[in-house]
C-alpha cells in the first residue's frame, strides 16, 4: 500500500515514525497530515529497499530544499553530475532532482538512486524527448513506459505537466516570456502540432496506477509558470492551477501522494497571494516552489533574488523550495554554483522556519550567538551552514595581523563591541 492509503487506513508506517522523530512531532499527527494530503513522504518502495532515508514534505514540517542537477546535451558527464549530487547532499539538500537531458540519462539516474539517501525526483518527459528525434514523435504509450521504467528504477517523485490544457494556450499570447518550463514548452508543442489535448491529462488515471504501484509521489508540474515579473499571476498561470487542483483530487482517489509545483518569477508583493491561492485551489497539497525570483535584472545573482522570494514563500506556507544557483539563466551550474545555491536555500528555509516558530528551529542560532559572545571560533565554524567557508574567511582575514582570539579584524581590539560588553560586565560585578 502507498503511504497515503496506509494513512487513510489509520496505519502509522515506519516511514511516518521516522518523519515524526526527525521533526519533533507525534507519529499520529504525521499520519493525519498524510491522510489529509497536507504532507507527503516521497519514498518509492524500490529506493526504500536500497538506501532511502524517508523525509516528509508538508506545511507542518521543517521547510525542505531541493537541488536540481543533471547534465545537458552540451555540458558535463555522468561522473561530474554524480559528484554534484553528492556535494548538494553534503551541504544540506533534502531532495535532489535529476534533470539530465544529455548522454547517459539512464545511467546517471540509476547511480544517483543507488548512491543517495535522499528522495530523488525526475521529469520523465526529458528521457522520452532524449530518446526521440523529435518530441512530436512521442506517443502516450511511450511516455507511460518511461514513467514505469523510472518507477522501477526507484524514482521517488516525478514532475509531470498534466495541468496545461488547450484552453490555456491562447492565454500566453500576452506574455513577455511565453512558456519557460522545459516540460511545459515541449508538451505545448506536441499539443499544438497534433491538435490534441495534453496527453498527460488524458492518461492521468493510467499514470496514477503506475505511481501507486511503486508509491511514487506526484509533483504536478506547472508548465505555465511565469518566467518573468511581467507574466506573474496571469490567467495562464492560474488557469493551469485550477486544473492542478482538479488533478490533486483525482490522484488522491487513486491512493497517490501529491505535491504541486509553483512559480517561477513573482514580484515580492504577489508571493503571499500566490501561496494562499495554491493552498486553497489544491486543497492543501504541499507546495513546492522554484524560488520565486523577485526581480529580473540580476543574472549571476539569482540565488539571491530567488532566495528572497523563497523565504517569503516558505513563511506563507510553501513546503519545499527548489534552489536556484548563480548560473540560472546563464548556464549549467558547476560545483561551486551548487554549493552557493544550496546554502542560499538553507538560509531561506531556516529563516522561514524560525519565523514560523517550528519546534527547536532557533536552537542552533542561539548556540551560535553564545559561541560568538564567548569568542569560541571552533564552535562557530561547527554550527555554520558552511563551516569550511566561515573558517576560510576568518583565517584569511587574520593572516596579515597579530590579531588574538578575543576579537577579529572587523573592529579590532579597541572597538570590538562584544569584548567591550564583557569588560562592562566585569566592571559591574
Ligand atoms: S571585532 Fe567586531 S565583528 Fe569581530 S568579534 Fe568583535 S564585535 Fe564581532
Amino acid at each position: 500500500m502507498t503511504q497515503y492509503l496506509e494513512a487513510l487506513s489509520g496505519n502509522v508506517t515506519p516511514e511516518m515514525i521516522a518523519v515524526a522523530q526527525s521533526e519533533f512531532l507525534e507519529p499520529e499527527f504525521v499520519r493525519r497530515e498524510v491522510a489529509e494530503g497536507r504532507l507527503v513522504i516521497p519514498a518509492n518502495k524500490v529506493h526504500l529497499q536500497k538506501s532511502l532515508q524517508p523525509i516528509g514534505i508538508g506545511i507542518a514540517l521543517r521547510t525542505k530544499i531541493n537541488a536540481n542537477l543533471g547534465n545537458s546535451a552540451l555540458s558535463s558527464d555522468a561522473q561530474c553530475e554524480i559528484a554534484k549530487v553528492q556535494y548538494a547532499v553534503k551541504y544540506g539538500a533534502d531532495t535532489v532532482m535529476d534533470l539530465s537531458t544529455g548522454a547517459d540519462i539512464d545511467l546517471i539516474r540509476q547511480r544517483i538512486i543507488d548512491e543517495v539517501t535522499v528522495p530523488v525526483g525526475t521529469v520523465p518527459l526529458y528521457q522520452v524527448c532524449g530518446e526521440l528525434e523529435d518530441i512530436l514523435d512521442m506517443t502516450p504509450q511511450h511516455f507511460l513506459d518511461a514513467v514505469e521504467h523510472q518507477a522501477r528504477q526507484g524514482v521517488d517523485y516525478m514532475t509531470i505537466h498534466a495541468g496545461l490544457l488547450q484552453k490555456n494556450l491562447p492565454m500566453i499570447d500576452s506574455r513577455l516570456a511565453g512558456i519557460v518550463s522545459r516540460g511545459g514548452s515541449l508538451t505545448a508543442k506536441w499539443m499544438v502540432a497534433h491538435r490534441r489535448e495534453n496527453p498527460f491529462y488524458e492518461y492521468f488515471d493510467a499514470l496514477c496506477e503506475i505511481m501507486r504501484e511503486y508509491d511514487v509521489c506526484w509533483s504536478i508540474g506547472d508548465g505555465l509558470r511565469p518566467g518573468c515579473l511581467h507574466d506573474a499571476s496571469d490567467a495562464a498561470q492560474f488557469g493551469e492551477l485550477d486544473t492542478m487542483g482538479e488533478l490533486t483530487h483525482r490522484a488522491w482517489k487513486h491512493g497517490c501522494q501529491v505535491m504541486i509545483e509553483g512559480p517561477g518569477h513573482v514580484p515580492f508583493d504577489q508571493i503571499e497571494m500566490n501561496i494562499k491561492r495554491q493552498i486553497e485551489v489544491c486543497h492543501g497539497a504541499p507546495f513546492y516552489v522554484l524560488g520565486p525570483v523577485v526581480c529580473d535584472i540580476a543574472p549571476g545573482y539569482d540565488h539571491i533574488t530567488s532566495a528572497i522570494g523563497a523565504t517569503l514563500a516558505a513563511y506563507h506556507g510553501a513546503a519545499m523550495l527548489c534552489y536556484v544557483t548563480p548560473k540560472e539563466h546563464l548556464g549549467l551550474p558547476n560545483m561551486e554554483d551548487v554549493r552557493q545555491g544550496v546554502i542560499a536555500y538553507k538560509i531561506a528555509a531556516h529563516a522561514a522556519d524560525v519565523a514560523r516558530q517550528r519546534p527547536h528551529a532557533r536552537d542552533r542560532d542561539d548556540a551560535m550567538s553564545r559561541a560568538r559572545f564567548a569568542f569560541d571560533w571552533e564552535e562557530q565554524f561547527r554550527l555554520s551552514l558552511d563551516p569550511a567557508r566561515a573558517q576560510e574567511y576568518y583565517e584569511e582575514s587574520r593572516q596579515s595581523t597579530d590579531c588574538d582570539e578575543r576579537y577579529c579584524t572587523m573592529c579590532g581590539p579597541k572597538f570590538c563591541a562584544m569584548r567591550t560588553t564583557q569588560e562592562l560586565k566585569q566592571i559591574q560585578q
Side-chain angles (χ1 to χ4, degrees), residues 372-373 375 377 380 394 403 405-420:
R372 276 193 181 134
F373 197 64
F375 299 104
W377 299 99
Q380 289 179 58
Y394 174 71
C403 203
E405 293 198 337
R406 293 182 57 78
Y407 54 89
C408 75
T409 56
M410 176 70 194
C411 322
K414 203 169 170 185
F415 291 94
C416 174
M418 289 198 287
R419 186 175 153 132
T420 306

Side-chain angles (χ1 to χ4, degrees), residues 176-197:
L176 281 186
I179 302 175
V180 297
S181 153
R182 290 191 286 199
S185 63
L186 292 167
T187 306
K189 183 180 170 189
W190 189 96
M191 291 161 61
V192 170
H194 293 293
R195 296 173 193 270
R196 283 183 58 180
E197 191 47 279

Side-chain angles (χ1 to χ4, degrees), residues 291-332:
V293 170
V294 294
C295 71
D296 291 334
I297 56 168
Y301 296 90
D302 277 328
H303 59 315
I304 297 174
T305 62
S306 64
I308 291 169
T311 308
L312 194 62
Y315 178 65
H316 287 296
M320 183 155 79
L321 311 173
C322 183
Y323 88 162
V324 172
T325 76
K327 284 278 171 57
E328 186 76 8
H329 305 109
L330 300 171
L332 195 72

Side-chain angles (χ1 to χ4, degrees), residues 81-330:
E81 289 310 309
I82 304 295
K84 283 191 223 167
V85 167
Q86 289 164 338
Y87 212 48
V89 173
K90 172 185 165 185
Y91 281 102
D94 296 291
T95 79
V96 293
M97 284 195 83
D98 173 24
L99 302 186
S100 292
T101 54
D104 300 325
I105 289 184
D106 238 31
L107 171 77
I108 293 174
R109 184 186 317 114
Q110 191 64 65
R111 283 199 53 195
I112 291 173
I113 292 166
D114 291 346
E115 291 185 24
V116 303
T117 58
V118 301
V120 176
T122 60
V123 182
L125 186 60
Y126 295 175
Q127 176 163 23
V128 176
C129 191
E131 288 172 353
L132 297 170
E133 275 293 308
D134 192 319
I135 191 63
L136 300 184
D137 298 333
M138 179 184 71
T139 64
Q141 188 58 49
H142 194 163
F143 186 76
L144 289 168
D145 290 346
V147 169
E148 177 140 33
H149 171 69
Q150 295 194 7
R152 254 199 320 268
Q153 280 187 308
V155 172
D156 300 292
Y157 66 96
M158 295 188 197
T159 295
I160 300 177
H161 303 86
L164 189 174
L165 301 184
Q166 280 283 357
K167 66 180 180 185
N168 306 128
L169 291 178
M171 299 172 184
I172 64 171
D173 290 346
S174 57
R175 285 187 161 189
L176 281 186
I179 302 175
V180 297
S181 153
R182 290 191 286 199
S185 63
L186 292 167
T187 306
K189 183 180 170 189
W190 189 96
M191 291 161 61
V192 170
H194 293 293
R195 296 173 193 270
R196 283 183 58 180
E197 191 47 279
N198 183 330
F200 317 132
Y201 180 80
E202 292 197 318
Y203 286 80
F204 191 79
D205 296 323
L207 290 166
C208 284
E209 294 297 322
I210 301 169
M211 307 285 244
R212 184 177 61 189
E213 185 180 345
Y214 293 88
D215 206 355
V216 177
C217 178
W218 271 97
S219 162
I220 301 180
D222 56 337
L224 296 180
R225 68 167 175 263
C228 66
L229 299 189
H230 175 276
D231 300 345
S233 312
D234 68 356
Q237 181 195 334
F238 288 142
E240 182 185 37
L241 183 65
D242 289 342
T243 309
M244 293 160 90
E246 172 207 321
L247 294 175
T248 301
H249 257 315
R250 268 169 70 184
W252 282 344
K253 277 189 186 159
H254 283 277
C256 298
Q257 301 187 89
V258 183
M259 286 189 288
I260 301 294
E261 259 197 359
H265 291 233
V266 180
F268 195 79
D269 61 304
Q270 294 178 24
I271 289 175
E272 179 179 359
M273 177 272 291
N274 266 265
I275 302 296
K276 288 182 173 166
R277 185 161 177 162
Q278 179 280 332
I279 290 172
E280 186 187 339
V281 172
C282 295
H283 323 290
F287 201 16
Y288 165 31
V289 290
L290 175 67
V293 170
V294 294
C295 71
D296 291 334
I297 56 168
Y301 296 90
D302 277 328
H303 59 315
I304 297 174
T305 62
S306 64
I308 291 169
T311 308
L312 194 62
Y315 178 65
H316 287 296
M320 183 155 79
L321 311 173
C322 183
Y323 88 162
V324 172
T325 76
K327 284 278 171 57
E328 186 76 8
H329 305 109
L330 300 171

